[in-house]
Amino acid sequence: MFLMSLEINRLGWRQKPLINDIWESNDDEYNFKLEEVETIEDLLPEICDHLENSNLVKFRVEGFGELPWPVDVSTDLMIVIEQISDLLKFLDTSEASTGNLDFYEQGIEKRVIFTKVGNLVNINCQPLLAINESPNVNQPAWGQNIAEDPIDKKAIKIMISNLIITFVSIASELCPTLTNHKCFQEWCGDKYIANALNERFLTDK
């Protein structure tokens, strides 16, 4: 089954002396000037770097013959967050029957393809390089056109909602200056992100 989650471990994921597991926020140290930030895409790399370096956060993806996927927070989570509103829009509307979630970082290079069939969603995984007709013999063997069992559309939306809620919560805790920026707040106010944060669709029939 395809699974995607953001996990928090207050004791830290790596085995280190306790003093090194204490998170010390550097929320005022960035690689850019906040006043020059214009889009959420400008903020996400810095936010996800903060989460990665905190040693408290782990991004987990499973399915299609790989348990778990070799993903990280600083790059792979950022890539997913950039696409998550479009994926929720696809699940919420009838405008398209197929939606994608691309993991294009080197070493993974997979596309998860969601196909709506009534209240169910078929999920397939394809190598991005094969899609782009540029085969690579060094590409991992897992995820080669493997289809998982169909999942209820509502269950997928709940999974995505939990991911977004956890992301916004821990990011607001660890780097509040960034999450208070107008671009991040505008992203949270996006129709589909806001619905996920409010879990509004959990009561949908």
Side-chain angles (χ1 to χ4, degrees):
M1 178 180 290
F2 176 69
L3 297 173
M4 187 168 60
S5 65
L6 196 61
E7 302 174 358
I8 309 299
N9 183 347
R10 294 289 175 181
L11 297 179
W13 292 103
R14 306 179 188 93
Q15 297 297 318
K16 293 181 179 180
L18 181 59
I19 190 171
N20 291 332
D21 277 334
I22 299 174
W23 167 251
E24 295 179 2
S25 175
N26 294 315
D27 190 39
D28 57 348
E29 298 178 7
Y30 314 115
N31 295 318
F32 51 76
K33 294 181 179 179
L34 279 174
E35 60 271 19
E36 295 177 356
V37 170
E38 297 181 350
T39 67
I40 183 63
E41 287 77 16
D42 295 331
L43 288 174
L44 285 178
E46 194 74 28
I47 291 173
C48 290
D49 278 348
H50 270 66
L51 302 191
E52 178 82 44
N53 294 332
S54 74
N55 191 36
L56 305 179
V57 184
K58 179 181 287 187
F59 184 37
R60 189 174 187 88
V61 182
E62 300 178 1
F64 311 105
E66 184 75 353
L67 183 70
W69 288 26
V71 294
D72 63 17
V73 173
S74 61
T75 301
D76 299 299
L77 175 64
M78 180 193 71
I79 289 170
V80 167
I81 294 298
E82 287 177 341
Q83 303 171 74
I84 210 74
S85 177
D86 288 339
L87 182 58
L88 285 171
K89 180 180 179 181
F90 154 74
L91 292 169
D92 268 349
T93 66
S94 58
E95 295 177 4
S97 60
T98 301
N100 301 323
L101 188 59
D102 289 344
F103 292 80
Y104 51 77
E105 180 67 6
Q106 185 175 4
I108 302 179
E109 298 162 311
K110 298 291 188 291
R111 169 171 290 174
V112 180
I113 301 172
F114 301 83
T115 304
K116 289 183 292 192
V117 183
N119 290 325
L120 296 178
V121 179
N122 293 326
I123 306 179
N124 184 272
C125 184
Q126 295 183 5
L128 272 174
L129 292 178
I131 292 171
N132 296 329
E133 299 182 348
S134 301
N136 183 345
V137 295
N138 295 320
Q139 187 176 352
W142 57 274
Q144 304 285 350
N145 296 310
I146 296 175
E148 293 282 4
D149 292 335
I151 302 178
D152 185 82
K153 182 169 63 175
K154 186 174 179 179
I156 296 178
K157 292 167 69 176
I158 291 172
M159 177 180 68
I160 296 172
S161 175
N162 289 335
L163 175 71
I164 294 172
I165 290 169
T166 305
F167 169 70
V168 171
S169 175
I170 193 65
S172 298
E173 178 181 342
L174 298 184
C175 41
T177 301
L178 297 178
T179 56
N180 283 328
H181 191 279
K182 66 176 183 178
C183 289
F184 191 86
Q185 293 300 312
E186 288 171 356
W187 177 80
C188 289
D190 170 89
K191 174 183 177 181
Y192 301 101
I193 300 298
N195 283 349
L197 289 170
N198 294 329
E199 299 182 302
R200 190 173 302 164
F201 54 73
L202 297 185
T203 58
D204 290 350
K205 296 183 179 179

